[in-house]
Amino acid sequence: MADSRGSRTVRASRDEPLVLGIETSCDETGVGIVRGHTLLADAVASSVDEHARFGGVVPEVASRAHLEAMVPTIQRALKEAGVAASDLDGIAVTAGPGLAGALLVGVSAAKAYAYALGKPLYGVNHLASHICVDQLEHGPLPEPTMALLVSGGHSSLLLAPDITSDVRPLGSTIDDAAGEAFDKIARVLNLGFPGGPVIDRMAREGDPDAIAFPRGLTGPRDPAYDFSFSGLKTAVARWIEARRAAGEEVPVADVSASFQEAVVDVLTRKAVRACKDNGVDHLMIGGGVAANSRLRALAERRCEDAGIRLRVPRPKLCTDNGAMVAALGAEMVARNRPASGWDLSADSSLPVTDPHVPGEDHGEDGGHGHGHGQGAGHGHGHGGGAAHSHDHFHELSKDNLYS
């Protein structure tokens, strides 16, 4: 069930914030540790094999897998980074969007660690984290940043003047996300789950021009930055069904290549247009589908033709991981953003306009000390931001919990 992803360890300044990030929005338990813009550890435990027989992610299965994997994955990350939990300057966690039950596991774990260790807690946005992770690969983000995020649950164009406080949605999918379409077509082709990687592999042997599949929302009167992949998915499925009904062999490689081309053509075309329309000379692509080789190649060509600089993290940082959460958490600490309150909860529909979830009260009675190098001022009486008592934490010993 578990696997480790390699980290890029370079010299980092001890003056930069050291943050642990926890990601549990879907089927992977990710724990990353970042110092400033330097990745020290990226440990992941994936439950994808447990979902494969269902053809998709089962929320209850994912939640239980997170419960089992959480503590071992945190221990593995700390060991890989060569730091103690007591060295951390903060704990960051994905508060949303995502699967409600899965998010609750991560948020609960983060709150427990932050409280026991006396560290500030930062509930952050999953989508903003996908943007911020590029700092670990290419350094500080330009401001503003234009980002194309494509995954199993999201297809969005975002403009981020400040990744910690100002993220503006320009467009998004009105039906299926790009990654969801990949999974559904892979199922029709009997290629298994998840669909993205296998279609990418099959497409390399096929002809992207073999079949003229439709490009959704690309007409002159269609929304400039929104996406639609439901019609494409239906068109591909009907094409396959017609071949099978006629007793003809389905050219899997050509179907994969032609379908993939239809998806990445629309994604890159609209992303480049958004950059031009908004006067932004660079484009960042993130999310699980950003690992797709054809998306990367076409985006690179079109950006070069348009004079736009392309920033895409390496594939392992594109899929869900704790490093991206830690990266955004470290930026929150560095910019002195307010920490979250103890009443932080999971929000499965957290809007991208909320890069993080600050607490309502950060006074002496219930707030965190925030900012790099400051301890957390946790009192046992919780002020206005806390909705309930946390007496169940009081038996924890801060001296013996993963010191």
Side-chain angles (χ1 to χ4, degrees), residues 16-251:
E16 295 177 311
L18 180 67
V19 174
L20 181 145
I22 297 173
E23 155 60 25
T24 61
S25 66
C26 194
D27 61 334
E28 292 185 319
T29 308
V31 179
I33 298 177
V34 165
R35 188 185 293 278
H37 296 162
T38 302
L39 177 59
L40 302 181
D42 184 16
V44 176
S46 176
S47 60
V48 65
D49 291 343
E50 299 176 40
H51 303 282
R53 62 193 177 102
F54 301 105
V57 176
V58 180
E60 179 65 17
V61 172
S63 300
R64 291 181 179 275
H66 289 312
L67 282 169
E68 296 174 2
M70 182 60 64
V71 172
T73 308
I74 290 176
Q75 291 176 319
R76 186 150 47 95
L78 290 168
K79 182 178 180 180
E80 183 181 342
V83 300
S86 56
D87 297 331
L88 298 170
D89 295 308
I91 307 287
V93 61
T94 298
L99 301 175
L103 290 168
L104 278 170
V105 176
V107 169
S108 298
K111 290 166 74 171
Y113 274 90
Y115 187 91
L117 295 166
K119 306 297 181 181
L121 171 71
Y122 296 87
V124 302
N125 190 291
H126 179 80
L127 299 182
S129 297
H130 268 304
I131 300 174
C132 200
V133 75
D134 190 60
Q135 294 196 147
L136 306 180
E137 188 86 37
H138 301 116
L141 290 170
E143 294 184 344
T145 289
M146 181 67 71
L148 170 66
L149 296 186
V150 279
S151 67
H154 307 279
S155 297
S156 304
L157 272 169
L158 306 169
L159 183 65
D162 182 337
I163 192 59
T164 66
S165 64
D166 187 4
V167 180
R168 306 171 188 177
L170 300 182
S172 62
T173 182
I174 65 171
D175 41 56
D176 290 355
E180 184 181 1
F182 272 90
D183 287 339
K184 290 179 177 178
I185 294 306
R187 191 179 307 141
V188 174
L189 289 171
N190 299 317
L191 296 178
F193 175 85
V198 66
I199 286 182
D200 191 4
R201 289 195 302 270
M202 295 299 299
R204 294 170 193 170
E205 305 298 324
D207 179 4
D209 298 318
I211 309 162
F213 289 133
R215 271 67 167 161
L217 292 187
T218 55
R221 296 185 180 180
D222 289 325
Y225 308 135
D226 283 341
F227 303 99
S228 172
F229 297 108
S230 179
L232 169 64
K233 173 201 68 180
T234 301
V236 176
R238 286 179 175 172
W239 193 95
I240 295 169
E241 290 167 2
R243 290 292 293 253
R244 288 173 175 163
E248 300 175 9
E249 182 179 354
V250 175

